[in-house]
Amino acid sequence: MNPDRNLQWESFENIDLGDPFFDGLKASYSEFSDWFHRKAKDRALVMKDESGKIQGFMYLKEENEAIDDVNPPMPFDRYLKIGTFKINAHGTKLGERFIKKAFDFSIAMEIKKLYVTIFPDHKTLIDLLIRYGFKKVGQKETPNGTESVMLKVIGEIKGNVLEDYPIISSRNNRFLLGIYPEFHTRLFPDSILHNENTSIVDDVSHTNSIEKIYICRMQGVEFLKKGDALVIYRTKDDRGSAWYRAVATSLCMVDEVKQKNEFKTLAEFVSYCLPRSVFTKEELTNYFTTWRQMYVIRMTYNTALKNRIIRKRLVEEVGLSKGDYWGFMKLTAYQFNRIATLGGVDDSLILD
């Protein structure tokens, strides 16, 4: 089962070069068509819309060498090159979804350095890369013009939740955050359970985004601060008891927490929440006008646990208390790191 039903790895030979999506690339790079055909047996990550038209494309290539066709040259190392990366931007944070996939791939391959060459006029994409820790380290001269060389080193800590992404720090406070199933799957598409319906994971902002917004009014959430770590806990569904049906699924980092009184108007609240939350404009309006207090959590979706951990194991193997409130619960450093270990999270992602 593939949770990203519209986002697939496909061989170049099965991708339609005649799709209008590639027209701009063919115009900008005179050699693009020849390059594309030479890659026939390689694979790329492709996003298609409901009509089968391509909306996003990313080619990733491992390089174990010095990169000497850029100035200044980059020393011998293992690199993940984002060889070709383009999206049709339409307000759904699709670029973030592709960048997350590049990070996921690099971590799976144990590659800590990612780079991309990109023309300076692609400002929106460059700004997105910078947001998640890429920096310009040089330039590359090509027959089509001068490209900027952008490099990201995973694990190079800058003290900023976004720029340090996908690193998860357990040095500050750590909490378990419970989220109902109907919201969880749409907000965290890589954390969908094997028995869930993948058709609800669509090309929409809250699904695609690295940064997520969740709104609640649980006690204790007011103590969350930027830099705190979260274990996302999908509460039980109607198929059985929480002992076996509620599971820890993901690890996130808190970037910002706001309370209701920090929003001067309904419009400001909706504008802040709508692009990155699962809630509709009508639901947000209802919350703002009827809830006396609320907490708006902005967090980064750093990793899905490879092994989902049911509540039974969280109690018996991690040491969480059955009697505590599982909507929001403070964790010790040991408990958080134990969840990461049981969940199969790569050790290099955890800063403790």
Side-chain angles (χ1 to χ4, degrees):
M1 178 179 291
N2 183 357
D4 276 317
R5 66 190 185 102
N6 296 329
L7 188 60
Q8 306 276 354
W9 287 101
E10 292 192 24
S11 297
F12 275 72
E13 61 187 352
N14 295 326
I15 301 171
D16 180 14
L17 183 58
D19 190 298
F21 175 86
F22 294 113
D23 289 350
L25 288 168
K26 288 185 282 191
S28 298
Y29 300 90
S30 57
E31 72 283 8
F32 182 79
S33 294
D34 289 339
W35 171 84
F36 192 96
H37 290 304
R38 290 198 306 271
K39 298 293 181 183
K41 300 301 180 183
D42 289 347
R43 296 195 308 161
L45 196 59
V46 179
M47 165 70 88
K48 295 180 180 178
D49 62 21
E50 295 299 330
S51 66
K53 293 297 183 183
I54 297 173
Q55 299 299 317
F57 179 94
M58 175 183 279
Y59 171 62
L60 301 174
K61 178 187 177 185
E62 179 181 351
E63 296 183 340
N64 297 291
E65 58 190 4
I67 311 301
D68 54 13
D69 61 348
V70 302
N71 184 31
M74 296 194 296
F76 182 91
D77 211 328
R78 291 185 72 208
Y79 297 93
L80 182 66
K81 181 180 182 181
I82 303 175
T84 302
F85 178 26
K86 181 194 172 188
I87 60 166
N88 282 341
H90 49 277
T92 65
K93 311 296 182 188
L94 186 56
E96 290 184 32
R97 193 168 182 182
F98 272 90
I99 287 176
K100 184 179 187 304
K101 289 300 182 184
F103 284 138
D104 290 346
F105 187 85
S106 69
I107 291 163
M109 297 294 292
E110 299 183 344
I111 300 173
K112 304 306 177 189
K113 294 184 177 181
L114 303 85
Y115 83 98
V116 59
T117 61
I118 186 169
F119 285 117
D121 57 342
H122 296 301
K123 187 177 185 305
T124 300
L125 190 52
I126 289 173
D127 288 345
L128 186 62
L129 292 167
I130 291 172
R131 185 175 183 84
Y132 297 110
F134 283 81
K135 61 183 179 182
K136 182 178 178 180
V137 295
Q139 59 188 33
K140 179 178 180 178
E141 300 296 335
T142 78
N144 303 294
T146 302
E147 294 180 300
S148 297
V149 181
M150 309 290 294
L151 175 71
K152 163 78 175 187
V153 181
I154 296 177
E156 188 175 82
I157 303 303
K158 302 175 183 178
N160 179 289
V161 169
L162 299 182
E163 292 182 15
D164 291 345
Y165 182 88
I167 294 296
I168 304 150
S169 173
S170 63
R171 292 179 175 177
N172 296 326
N173 288 324
R174 304 142 302 269
F175 298 89
L176 177 144
L177 177 66
I179 295 181
Y180 290 129
E182 59 266 33
F183 300 136
H184 174 275
T185 301
R186 287 181 285 160
L187 202 57
F188 302 102
D190 291 337
S191 300
I192 190 170
L193 303 190
H194 293 302
N195 58 0
E196 290 184 298
N197 182 1
T198 61
S199 67
I200 61 177
V201 180
D202 290 319
D203 178 22
V204 290
S205 293
H206 56 258
T207 293
N208 290 331
S209 62
I210 288 174
E211 297 162 58
K212 311 289 186 179
I213 283 180
Y214 192 65
I215 302 164
C216 63
R217 48 182 176 178
M218 294 180 287
Q219 288 188 342
V221 174
E222 66 269 23
F223 298 114
L224 273 179
K225 291 183 172 56
K226 183 183 182 77
D228 286 345
L230 294 174
V231 172
I232 301 301
Y233 174 75
R234 177 191 177 276
T235 60
K236 81 176 191 72
D237 52 25
D238 57 3
R239 298 184 182 181
S241 71
W243 194 241
Y244 296 102
R245 298 294 302 174
V247 292
T249 68
S250 321
L251 300 183
C252 297
M253 290 292 296
V254 176
D255 186 46
E256 187 173 46
V257 180
K258 288 178 173 285
Q259 298 192 34
K260 180 180 178 180
N261 60 13
E262 295 182 60
F263 297 97
K264 297 178 181 178
T265 64
L266 169 62
E268 181 184 342
F269 172 72
V270 171
S271 175
Y272 181 85
C273 297
L274 191 60
R276 299 182 183 275
S277 80
V278 298
F279 304 110
T280 65
K281 184 177 181 180
E282 291 71 25
E283 288 171 327
L284 292 172
T285 300
N286 179 59
Y287 296 154
F288 191 82
T289 55
T290 62
W291 287 6
R292 294 183 60 186
Q293 181 58 286
M294 70 171 69
Y295 306 104
V296 181
I297 307 168
R298 186 183 181 114
M299 54 191 160
T300 55
Y301 180 25
N302 291 58
T303 189
L305 301 184
K306 294 177 183 177
N307 311 310
R308 314 295 194 251
I309 310 169
I310 61 174
R311 182 166 178 168
K312 179 178 186 292
R313 296 186 68 197
L314 291 170
V315 171
E316 296 178 350
E317 299 179 43
V318 179
L320 303 191
S321 172
K322 290 174 64 176
D324 283 348
Y325 175 55
W326 287 67
F328 189 73
M329 181 192 306
K330 190 168 185 179
L331 304 174
T332 66
Y334 168 80
Q335 290 168 337
F336 182 87
N337 292 330
R338 179 67 174 152
I339 289 170
T341 299
L342 291 175
V345 176
D346 190 296
D347 289 343
S348 66
L349 274 183
I350 305 296
L351 182 67
D352 55 19

